[in-house]
């Protein structure tokens, strides 16, 4: 019998980004995803435009090492 549940095989991430094209470009927006950050950013910015409209400033694991 195991006291602790099995660790998930997912690798959730916490990320922060700046929207470079808005009046709020001085604010960092924070998010959580169980996919890659790039996949998640494609949902925030679905249309292809010249140059990036955002800058990812933080990308870390949402899981503790223990």
């Amino acid at each position: 019998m195991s006291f602790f549940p099995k660790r998930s095989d997912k690798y959730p991430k916490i990320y922060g980004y700046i929207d470079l094209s808005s009046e709020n470009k001085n604010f960092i927006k924070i998010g959580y995803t169980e996919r890659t950050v790039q996949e998640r950013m494609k949902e925030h910015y679905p249309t292809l435009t010249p140059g990036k409209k955002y800058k990812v400033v933080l990308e870390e694991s949402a899981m503790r090492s223990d």
Side-chain angles (χ1 to χ4, degrees), residues 15-19 22 24-32 41 44-45 55-58:
Y15 64 98
Y17 70 99
I18 300 169
D19 185 344
S22 78
N24 297 321
K25 63 183 173 183
N26 295 323
F27 297 102
I28 298 174
K29 297 181 179 187
I30 305 297
Y32 169 89
M41 294 309 294
H44 286 301
Y45 299 91
K55 178 180 178 184
V56 176
V57 295
L58 173 75

Side-chain angles (χ1 to χ4, degrees), residues 2 8 16 22-23 33 35 39-40 43 47 57 64 66:
S2 177
S8 171
S22 78
E23 62 277 354
T33 184
R35 293 162 286 171
E39 288 172 325
R40 182 63 181 117
E43 291 178 356
T47 57
V57 295
R64 294 172 31 153
D66 61 347

